[in-house]
Amino acid sequence: MIELRTPAQIEEMRPAGRFVASVISALAEKADVGMNLLELDAIAHEMIREAGAESCYIDYHPSFGASPFGKVLCTSVNDAVLHGLPHDYVLQDGDLLSVDFAASVDGWVSDSAVSVVVGTPREEDLRLIEVTGRALDAGIEWARPGARMGDISHAIGEVARAAGLGVNLQFGGHGVGRTMHGDPHVANDGRPGRGFKLKEGLVIAIEPWFMHTTDAIYTDPDGWTLRSADGSRGAHMEHTVAITADGPLVLTARD
């Protein structure tokens, strides 16, 4: 069911957005050569505790997950492109890391993701991150009353296609509110002018994710981590966005 939020409720969602943005920013800054993924998860766990927030991930067990997730972050490295389960891995020079984080503050959820290069970057990785960021911005620009969901999806896909990238449609954005995942689904490609008509009060997570040379994925033996079918690297960007009378309001905007 698609739920719309009042202006007062959207104001109530701002603390969750600010908190999630602060965690994402802190982790992006701390991600460096020699840092263990489990250390990053522990940092986020401590920030949750200090803020009196609640993790959306620890007990999360959807149909596509092998078991409850058990961690508070998704940390996807190189060919791990989504839902990376933190494990005993030390970041190496040149790794492409995507961090996805969602938390609840005072009963309201926000969800965000960022990709960074650890240490010495590869030009193709920087380009992939840049394209993914532009696709996110393009989708956000259409998050306005009167537009259609297909307009957001088409804007994202158009950026990917112009850069020569394929688009996987198995996973995308989603509604956000009292829970992390709700209706509507926000695909990363689509037809303009089609789909649900966007209304003031809708809050969605918009999250493009692309891989260098494929749009196919498979599930790692850990039952969670999704990897590219050909070993190519992936980038993932996400913001929680409220549709208001004044246009898109990015609740997880980072300083």
Side-chain angles (χ1 to χ4, degrees), residues 75-82 89 91-98 116-118 122 125 128 210-212 226-228 231-235:
T75 51
S76 303
V77 181
N78 298 333
D79 67 318
V81 293
L82 277 185
Y89 174 80
L91 290 169
Q92 306 295 308
D93 187 46
D95 277 346
L96 175 50
L97 169 69
S98 297
V116 297
V117 176
V118 176
R122 302 181 184 182
D125 289 343
L128 184 64
F210 307 129
M211 298 170 281
H212 279 304
L226 299 178
R227 296 187 181 274
S228 65
S232 62
R233 298 181 175 207

Side-chain angles (χ1 to χ4, degrees), residues 47-201:
M47 291 181 75
I48 289 171
R49 187 194 66 77
E50 290 178 352
E54 294 183 10
S55 170
C56 293
Y57 286 176
I58 284 184
D59 297 324
Y60 186 54
H61 190 188
S63 59
F64 58 81
S67 60
F69 191 73
K71 304 295 182 184
V72 301
L73 288 179
C74 291
T75 51
S76 303
V77 181
N78 298 333
D79 67 318
V81 293
L82 277 185
H83 304 163
L85 184 64
H87 59 287
D88 185 13
Y89 174 80
V90 175
L91 290 169
Q92 306 295 308
D93 187 46
D95 277 346
L96 175 50
L97 169 69
S98 297
V99 176
D100 191 357
F101 177 70
S104 174
V105 176
D106 297 327
W108 293 106
V109 170
S110 270
D111 193 0
S112 188
V114 70
S115 291
V116 297
V117 176
V118 176
T120 308
R122 302 181 184 182
E123 283 300 320
E124 61 268 28
D125 289 343
L126 294 178
R127 177 177 176 272
L128 184 64
I129 291 171
E130 187 270 333
V131 169
T132 308
R134 279 197 289 112
L136 175 58
D137 291 342
I140 290 171
E141 182 59 30
W142 280 97
R144 302 176 180 275
R148 298 276 181 175
M149 189 61 72
D151 295 325
I152 294 177
S153 298
H154 176 76
I156 294 169
E158 193 172 43
V159 172
R161 289 189 300 273
L165 301 174
V167 181
N168 180 288
L169 297 179
Q170 292 170 261
F171 295 92
H174 47 87
V176 179
R178 293 294 189 182
T179 60
M180 178 171 59
H181 289 153
D183 294 328
H185 176 68
V186 187
N188 285 325
D189 199 8
R191 299 177 65 181
R194 301 294 185 93
F196 176 76
K197 189 173 183 178
L198 305 180
K199 300 176 181 179
E200 183 180 348

Side-chain angles (χ1 to χ4, degrees), residues 4-71:
L4 302 179
R5 309 301 175 184
T6 66
Q9 288 176 320
I10 290 174
E11 285 300 309
E12 291 173 0
M13 296 182 78
R14 283 182 183 269
R18 287 194 296 266
F19 173 67
V20 167
S22 71
V23 173
I24 288 286
S25 294
L27 296 173
E29 183 176 337
K30 291 179 180 295
D32 203 352
V33 176
M35 174 69 76
N36 194 300
L37 297 182
L38 294 176
E39 291 180 89
L40 288 176
D41 189 74
I43 291 168
H45 208 140
E46 179 62 15
M47 291 181 75
I48 289 171
R49 187 194 66 77
E50 290 178 352
E54 294 183 10
S55 170
C56 293
Y57 286 176
I58 284 184
D59 297 324
Y60 186 54
H61 190 188
S63 59
F64 58 81
S67 60
F69 191 73
K71 304 295 182 184

